[in-house]
Amino acid sequence: MIVLAEPDPDDMVLAIWKAISILPKIDPQVMHNRMKKLYNWQDVAKRTEIVYDRALKCSNQNLLERLSRYLSCGAWAGKLFALVMIIDYLLCCLLQLWKPAKDIDEVPDIILPKNQDKDIDKVPGIILAKNQDGKVLHDFNADQ
């Protein structure tokens, strides 16, 4: 169900009223099946990976560079953003003292099967977690 409107308050109100009037006529199961066909987890995962890759390619600015960038966001908002960033930085330092990064265990890499479209727990012989030496950490098929 999509009802389009011009970016005008009166037109938006009319579109919302139209959407509300259409709502009782829509079968939720039919709408669910339609949405299910539009999205799949493989596509969502690929798009999420693209976003993370782009974020990793961004320049890594130091604290003072970021602070000056936040301060230029407006008279009040810039100061608020900078204050939040300083509090966040201090909280991060406190958490580093409490639990240093070197003490946090690293998650092992996941080995995905060739046929990723199937239900992963129904594919025989798939070992999902190995350590760096190749030792099997957990075979999810062995649990069944």
Side-chain angles (χ1 to χ4, degrees):
M1 175 185 91
I2 297 174
V3 179
L4 301 175
E6 292 294 325
D8 172 63
D10 292 334
D11 198 39
M12 292 173 77
V13 169
L14 288 173
I16 291 171
W17 277 110
K18 184 177 179 184
I20 290 171
S21 69
I22 295 172
L23 195 57
K25 301 172 191 168
I26 295 175
D27 180 13
Q29 189 61 43
V30 171
M31 185 59 68
H32 171 74
N33 290 336
R34 191 170 161 199
M35 291 294 118
K36 198 163 93 173
K37 291 176 186 173
L38 292 175
Y39 298 99
N40 68 46
W41 285 113
Q42 302 299 335
D43 185 45
V44 171
K46 284 178 187 173
R47 288 188 284 156
T48 303
E49 189 176 4
I50 290 169
V51 169
Y52 278 102
D53 287 341
R54 286 182 185 166
L56 288 173
K57 290 178 183 174
C58 289
S59 63
N60 196 4
Q61 298 175 333
N62 66 30
L63 184 66
L64 291 175
E65 289 172 341
R66 285 184 285 162
L67 187 60
S68 67
R69 220 172 88 204
Y70 282 125
L71 284 171
S72 67
C73 289
W76 293 101
K79 291 178 177 112
L80 179 65
F81 294 162
L83 179 66
V84 169
M85 189 190 79
I86 291 169
I87 292 170
D88 186 43
Y89 177 75
L90 293 173
L91 179 64
C92 184
C93 290
L94 180 69
L95 291 173
Q96 278 285 350
L97 288 173
W98 177 60
K99 184 85 173 175
K102 64 180 177 64
D103 294 344
I104 299 173
D105 294 334
E106 190 174 319
V107 178
D109 288 337
I110 294 177
I111 301 167
L112 294 175
K114 291 179 185 174
N115 46 359
Q116 296 175 2
D117 295 338
K118 294 184 180 178
D119 290 333
I120 200 151
D121 58 344
K122 295 180 183 172
V123 179
I126 296 175
I127 298 168
L128 290 177
K130 289 184 178 182
N131 67 7
Q132 292 174 338
D133 301 327
K135 179 184 173 203
V136 174
L137 297 176
H138 192 80
D139 181 351
F140 290 92
N141 292 308
D143 294 344
Q144 297 176 357

